[in-house]
Amino acid sequence: MLLSVIILAYKVPYHVLLCVQSVERSIASIDAEIIVVDNNSQDETEELITTNFERVIFQQNNENLGFAKAYNQAVHTAKGKYVCILNPDTVLSENCFKTLIPFAEKQPDFGALGPRLIDGTGHYLPESKRNVPDFKVAFKKMTGDTSRYYANQLAQDEIGEVPVLVGAFMLVKKQAYLKIKGFDERFFMYGEDIDLSYRLTQNGFKNYYFGQVSVIHFKGESTVKDRKYNLRFYGAMQLFQQKHFSQGFFIDKALDLSLKCLAFSKSKVASKEEDQKEKTAIFWVYKGNLEQEELKNIPFQINQVINFEKEKELQKFNSKLIFDLNFLKFSEVIDAFQLLKNNKNRFRIRPSNCNFILGSDTSTSRGELLKW
């Protein structure tokens, strides 16, 4: 088998469903499997996945094992030559793996690869490619200087080697993953992707950023960016520093104290989204033939149904655009996110054969889910 796509779910059942739909279309012509691991969400995740996707391998954990341990568990059961570590709040295009895997196959000493990630507003996420956060880089990031933290030596749409990829989407050669013994399970959540990327390069493998393929990463769905998040995030940074770049007992302790103070100083980031329900026009985006009967049970007023093929109709401002995947390709939706990102629009997606929409207007808090 060529590919195993592993999705780790935790309390985001409807995002997982959308993610799996996109993965199924992306592996349509590839010898591949999909594994969904649920970290004891205790919600509708298992029912939604096992009911709607017969071919998906579902693994249920009885406790929240964290990111690293749950993925290690799944990789050992995976059959693919490559494994794709994938977050549940991601959306892939139909040509994603058809483009990335042939590139990976041509690279000597291939370790891992990551695509260009965009958020729910269509904007580029700079963490798609990063440098190794050694002591100096980490210290600068703590003070708000990210000039050396992100791998700005490559442009957003370029392809090339980078030191560090993000765990939201990592295509990894399974042989390389197993050689370095996978994720370090001391990282419960955050930092394990940096550590894995660094250890791959330390063992002679190469990591690549592929800026010609875009993937939506909503962010903030499994974890609200509150004080608990900050403690885990900065604690992971501390663990990485001590593991690979220890400066001695006293400097390590000083860094530890600084990181804890920084974590406690960060309060919960509130969404700044304004309540524009009365002002925002809502447009339903389709392609082909749409029967008005299909929209009769939707619990909000649609101002206009617009055709995706008529680009001028899509050029809206300060509007909410709902993309219906009963009619559209994932690649079309991803392209539209990027095309319309600067028009102050808000985007929502309706998965195929589903009566809900979802989307996110900020990367720091949970987005909107509306069912009917």
Side-chain angles (χ1 to χ4, degrees):
M1 182 174 287
L2 184 61
L3 174 67
S4 297
V5 182
I6 304 172
I7 304 165
L8 177 60
Y10 184 67
K11 297 185 183 298
V12 284
Y14 296 94
H15 285 83
V16 178
L17 188 149
L18 175 62
C19 178
V20 173
Q21 279 195 4
S22 73
V23 173
E24 278 203 327
R25 292 196 196 180
S26 191
I27 65 170
S29 59
I30 297 173
D31 182 19
E33 64 181 355
I34 303 172
I35 302 171
V36 174
V37 184
D38 183 70
N39 254 352
N40 196 31
S41 295
Q42 298 183 350
D43 58 16
E44 310 100 312
T45 300
E46 182 172 6
E47 181 182 357
L48 283 174
I49 299 306
T50 56
T51 301
N52 290 284
F53 306 101
E54 293 182 359
R55 295 178 55 196
V56 171
I57 301 166
F58 189 85
Q59 299 178 0
Q60 179 67 64
N61 290 330
N62 295 322
E63 60 179 310
N64 185 358
L65 299 178
F67 186 100
K69 190 171 184 178
Y71 273 117
N72 283 347
Q73 165 191 294
V75 169
H76 281 89
T77 68
K79 300 175 183 176
K81 176 181 178 181
Y82 295 92
V83 293
C84 180
I85 304 300
L86 192 63
N87 273 20
D89 54 351
T90 54
V91 178
L92 282 56
S93 65
E94 286 81 1
N95 68 345
C96 180
F97 292 117
K98 296 173 192 174
T99 304
L100 298 182
I101 291 180
F103 173 83
E105 292 275 65
K106 294 177 183 178
Q107 309 310 315
D109 302 319
F110 177 84
L113 179 152
R116 180 180 189 271
L117 297 176
I118 61 172
D119 65 15
T121 68
H123 287 86
Y124 172 69
L125 292 170
E127 62 265 31
S128 301
K129 49 183 175 64
R130 293 171 287 179
N131 293 312
V132 176
D134 58 23
F135 184 81
K136 290 182 180 179
V137 172
F139 184 79
K140 282 190 173 184
K141 187 178 187 302
M142 287 168 53
T143 61
D145 181 357
T146 60
S147 59
R148 292 181 60 192
Y149 182 74
Y150 299 122
N152 297 318
Q153 60 268 28
L154 280 181
Q156 295 180 24
D157 58 353
E158 283 191 301
I159 300 169
E161 287 186 49
V162 292
V164 175
L165 301 168
V166 63
F169 185 117
M170 292 181 75
L171 180 68
V172 190
K173 199 166 189 177
K174 184 179 177 182
Q175 183 181 11
Y177 187 98
L178 295 177
K179 181 178 179 179
I180 65 169
K181 299 181 180 179
F183 287 118
D184 184 338
E185 295 180 7
R186 288 177 291 177
F187 294 89
F188 182 83
M189 192 174 185
Y190 310 115
E192 63 284 303
D193 50 356
I194 299 174
D195 178 72
L196 184 79
S197 298
Y198 182 67
R199 286 188 290 114
L200 281 169
T201 61
Q202 293 299 103
N203 282 271
F205 298 103
K206 295 178 181 178
N207 301 327
Y208 295 89
Y209 169 74
F210 200 98
Q212 295 295 309
V213 169
S214 294
V215 169
I216 297 172
H217 181 210
F218 289 114
K219 295 190 67 173
E221 298 305 322
S222 295
T223 306
V224 175
K225 303 299 188 290
D226 55 12
R227 186 163 290 171
K228 184 177 181 180
Y229 158 82
N230 287 318
L231 284 170
R232 280 184 173 171
F233 178 79
Y234 289 111
M237 286 184 64
Q238 178 203 357
L239 176 57
F240 181 81
Q241 290 298 316
Q242 290 181 344
K243 179 178 178 180
H244 297 291
F245 301 102
S246 176
Q247 302 294 305
F249 178 80
F250 291 106
I251 294 180
D252 286 350
K253 284 295 182 183
L255 178 63
D256 179 21
L257 180 61
S258 299
L259 289 170
K260 285 180 179 176
C261 289
L262 187 59
F264 276 106
S265 69
K266 300 250 185 195
S267 59
K268 180 179 177 180
V269 181
S271 172
K272 295 181 179 179
E273 179 184 354
E274 297 177 6
D275 186 4
Q276 297 179 332
K277 291 181 181 179
E278 299 301 323
K279 301 177 183 178
T280 302
I282 299 177
F283 300 94
W284 195 275
V285 184
Y286 76 103
K287 189 171 71 171
N289 297 314
L290 174 66
E291 299 292 337
Q292 293 295 323
E293 185 75 10
E294 298 183 35
L295 306 180
K296 71 175 185 178
N297 294 322
I298 295 173
F300 50 83
Q301 182 179 353
I302 299 170
N303 296 82
Q304 184 182 343
V305 176
I306 60 178
N307 194 324
F308 183 87
E309 294 174 311
K310 298 179 180 179
E311 187 172 315
K312 288 184 178 179
E313 290 190 9
L314 290 175
Q315 298 295 334
K316 305 296 181 182
F317 291 84
N318 293 305
S319 301
K320 181 180 286 187
L321 297 171
I322 301 171
F323 296 92
D324 192 336
L325 285 169
N326 287 302
F327 305 93
L328 300 171
K329 296 179 180 179
F330 282 96
S331 59
E332 292 172 329
V333 175
I334 293 171
D335 288 345
F337 272 37
Q338 296 175 100
L339 175 67
L340 304 171
K341 65 178 181 296
N342 293 321
N343 293 4
K344 297 183 179 179
N345 289 316
R346 293 184 285 170
F347 306 127
R348 300 292 181 266
I349 298 175
R350 181 196 188 183
S352 301
N353 303 313
C354 293
N355 291 327
F356 69 87
I357 61 171
L358 55 76
S360 175
D361 307 319
T362 171
S363 60
T364 56
S365 60
R366 291 191 176 99
E368 179 186 52
L369 168 67
L370 181 60
K371 300 182 285 183
W372 63 89

